[in-house]
Amino acid sequence: MIVCKFGGSSVADSNQIKKVANILTSHEARRIAIVSAPGKRNSEDIKITDMLYTCQRLTSEGKSMTTEFGQIRTRYLEIAQDLELSTESLAAQIDEIEKNLLAGAGPDYAASRGEFLSAQVIAASMGWEFLDTQTYIFLNDDGTVDEKSYQLLADAIDDTKNYILPGFYGSGTDGKVKTFSRGGSDITGAIAARSVGAELYENWTDVSGIRMADPRIVDDPAVVNELTYQEIRELASVGANVFHEEAIAPVRSVQIPICVKNTNDPESAGTMMGPSRDTSTLPIVGISGKTGYCRLHIKKHFLNKEADYKLKLETILKVYGIVPEFSSDGFDSLSCYFKQKLLRDQEGLIGRIVEELSPDEIDTEEQIAMIGLVGEGLYEARGILGDVSSALAAEGIAIRYLSYGGSMITCIIGVYDHEYLHALKVMYKAVSEKYVS
Ligand code: ASP
């Protein structure tokens, strides 16, 4: 069995839904599909989920949502009409949702209705079964999946039938609708794939696979054929939003591969994600970064002999709401890096550190960007960091930080914020010249 998930752009209008139907019926193993709410049809458009959140907010503030809700109604009815479906029961469901919103339903209920309606329209147009995930998927209070969901969903699936499921939501511990984090239909897809023991989880979107860098920064970055689950996690940690990282967990332990594919170009291979990959041809799969870090640097003679110095520092930082993301320790010094927006009371923090830890020197440096080179083959490859640092040097870009981190899969290179975009382009070029044909 292949479980497919279609994102918002794949179900944005009736034309897109027809492509979805073609994809599903072109392979008999594709028997379960999870769908998002209709997304943007063009760059000016608004996603249905965003409109539903707006409606809920407006009513909760005592304002009218008539215009916004009217647009949602029109959008669904138009899709149904274009697909030559009867609109009677759909219109009644939309009226019911409007009534519930006006009666004070919360944001989770509001947002979930996008997927709820989308799945019903698509199920009706294909003659497949609609299965409401609210009955089978349960979320814990922290938003994670309750393990019992896998069996409940598996039991609900009949081997002789095909199903369309709404993504993004389930039931909370109070039995009411609860949504996953944004983009959470990916998680529903992963849960369904695990429940039925799928051989493959296909994640259909509007790009032909995962790219090595953000195409808004780098011109036409290469698509990678293969990634590991761990590389996805590492990429997320350095700011690359390539795949919902919470959607990895359900399939990771049972090693179901995920394939990201393009609804608008179904023949292209896309990107496969799984437990391991051959790293010999492409040691690095991605380059991404984040700006706005602050470095706190402390120097103290014999610091290495004070076993709990770092612990004390971390405790003080915590009191000030600061959690370091990167660090480097020297013999007589240490540096830690955190998001500079967390540094709300610099004077207070420095004063407290001076008072309690008596450093010989203490200073901060702001506006540092951290760029991660990610790849399972990075550690064993030879010369990548040489090429990257030479390329940065040739452009006069200073390296402010350098570390393999804990995993050895990501190398973090720090540069100044104002050189971030330039540095990222230079680093991508150095890597792609060597490894991308
Ligand atoms: N519709 C939801 C969102 O926009 C969930 C999803 O599409 O995955 O976040």
Side-chain angles (χ1 to χ4, degrees):
M1 178 128 54
I2 299 174
V3 168
C4 302
K5 177 258 165 177
F6 292 90
S9 59
S10 301
V11 297
D13 59 26
S14 59
N15 267 337
Q16 290 300 95
I17 293 174
K18 284 177 192 159
K19 292 183 193 168
V20 167
N22 282 336
I23 290 167
L24 288 175
T25 49
S26 68
H27 196 317
E28 60 181 21
R30 292 187 180 128
R31 292 191 25 234
I32 297 179
I34 289 79
V35 294
S36 283
K40 292 182 180 201
R41 291 160 294 187
N42 51 58
S43 54
E44 279 81 55
D45 210 3
I46 306 175
K47 292 173 81 165
I48 289 282
T49 310
D50 293 330
M51 294 170 81
L52 285 161
Y53 276 125
T54 304
C55 289
Q56 195 280 333
R57 183 181 46 77
L58 288 171
T59 42
S60 70
E61 289 168 357
K63 296 181 186 148
S64 163
M65 62 166 201
T66 312
T67 315
E68 289 75 6
F69 198 81
Q71 289 164 353
I72 297 173
R73 176 183 279 113
T74 310
R75 186 115 179 244
Y76 279 106
L77 292 178
E78 242 171 48
I79 292 178
Q81 275 154 5
D82 290 350
L83 294 170
E84 293 170 14
L85 296 172
S86 136
T87 53
E88 210 176 307
S89 76
L90 179 66
Q93 302 231 41
I94 297 173
D95 290 345
E96 169 86 14
I97 294 168
E98 183 176 32
K99 208 174 82 202
N100 291 338
L101 287 177
L102 292 171
D108 282 33
Y109 169 82
S112 71
R113 296 305 86 184
E115 272 69 9
F116 175 75
L117 293 174
S118 174
Q120 290 190 63
V121 169
I122 296 167
S125 77
M126 297 189 60
W128 285 23
E129 304 286 324
F130 165 77
L131 201 68
D132 192 356
T133 35
Q134 191 185 350
T135 318
Y136 306 104
I137 294 181
F138 288 82
L139 282 81
N140 299 315
D141 289 336
D142 63 2
T144 55
V145 191
D146 183 333
E147 294 282 316
K148 72 177 178 221
S149 311
Y150 299 114
Q151 196 55 50
L152 284 171
L153 194 55
D155 292 345
I157 303 237
D158 178 336
D159 269 355
T160 62
K161 293 181 180 157
N162 298 339
Y163 295 90
I164 303 286
L165 275 61
F168 190 35
Y169 70 91
S171 284
T173 45
D174 58 2
K176 291 193 184 142
V177 177
K178 187 172 166 73
T179 56
F180 288 109
S181 51
R182 290 304 301 267
S185 299
D186 283 354
I187 307 173
T188 315
I191 295 169
R194 168 150 162 197
S195 296
V196 299
E199 65 191 89
L200 178 64
Y201 169 26
E202 286 180 342
N203 194 282
W204 293 84
T205 169
D206 55 3
V207 290
S208 293
I210 292 172
R211 289 178 181 264
M212 277 183 83
D214 185 339
R216 289 167 301 185
I217 302 175
V218 170
D219 187 29
D220 196 21
V223 169
V224 281
N225 301 330
E226 265 188 303
L227 281 169
T228 66
Y229 301 135
Q230 190 57 36
E231 285 170 336
I232 295 285
R233 290 274 306 149
E234 302 275 331
L235 280 166
S237 77
V238 290
N241 200 1
V242 293
F243 187 76
H244 201 308
E245 48 161 343
E246 289 170 55
I248 300 286
V251 291
R252 183 178 194 151
S253 54
V254 286
Q255 304 206 345
I256 298 171
I258 309 167
C259 188
V260 173
K261 288 190 61 93
N262 189 349
T263 301
N264 305 317
D265 183 12
E267 296 312 317
S268 73
T271 299
M272 280 298 277
M273 295 178 257
S276 60
R277 68 178 180 90
D278 173 11
T279 57
S280 57
T281 47
L282 192 66
I284 288 189
V285 289
I287 302 178
S288 176
K290 295 193 270 191
T291 56
Y293 283 93
C294 173
R295 167 184 185 240
L296 174 72
H297 168 240
I298 287 177
K299 213 167 163 188
K300 186 165 193 215
H301 206 55
F302 290 129
L303 189 147
N304 63 323
K305 298 212 159 115
E306 291 190 43
D308 56 354
Y309 198 89
K310 202 171 172 192
L311 189 67
K312 284 184 191 155
L313 175 67
E314 277 167 3
T315 311
I316 298 173
L317 289 171
K318 206 167 167 205
V319 171
Y320 283 78
I322 292 170
V323 186
E325 283 180 50
F326 308 97
S327 64
S328 51
D329 300 349
F331 219 42
D332 285 336
S333 61
L334 61 85
S335 287
C336 60
Y337 298 77
F338 45 82
K339 278 287 188 181
Q340 70 199 34
K341 63 172 189 251
L342 299 176
L343 189 57
R344 282 178 217 103
D345 178 9
Q346 180 158 353
E347 218 176 290
L349 174 71
I350 304 276
R352 179 90 175 257
I353 296 173
V354 168
E355 195 185 310
E356 289 188 27
L357 300 177
S358 322
D360 298 335
E361 276 175 38
I362 179 164
D363 57 70
T364 56
E365 185 176 28
E366 295 196 359
Q367 292 178 356
I368 292 172
M370 295 295 193
I371 304 178
L373 288 166
V374 178
E376 301 254 12
L378 174 70
Y379 194 58
E380 290 308 329
R382 297 290 178 267
I384 298 180
L385 297 184
D387 291 345
V388 165
S389 58
S390 304
L392 289 171
E395 293 294 314
I397 297 171
I399 293 178
R400 311 307 298 166
Y401 178 79
L402 186 66
S403 163
Y404 262 124
S407 68
M408 306 307 194
I409 293 175
T410 301
C411 174
I412 304 285
I413 293 184
V415 299
Y416 284 124
D417 273 353
H418 71 271
E419 292 179 319
Y420 167 66
L421 294 175
H422 187 191
L424 206 138
K425 286 180 196 155
V426 167
M427 287 165 70
Y428 174 76
K429 190 161 175 269
V431 170
S432 61
E433 273 173 3
K434 189 158 179 171
Y435 296 107
V436 180
S437 47

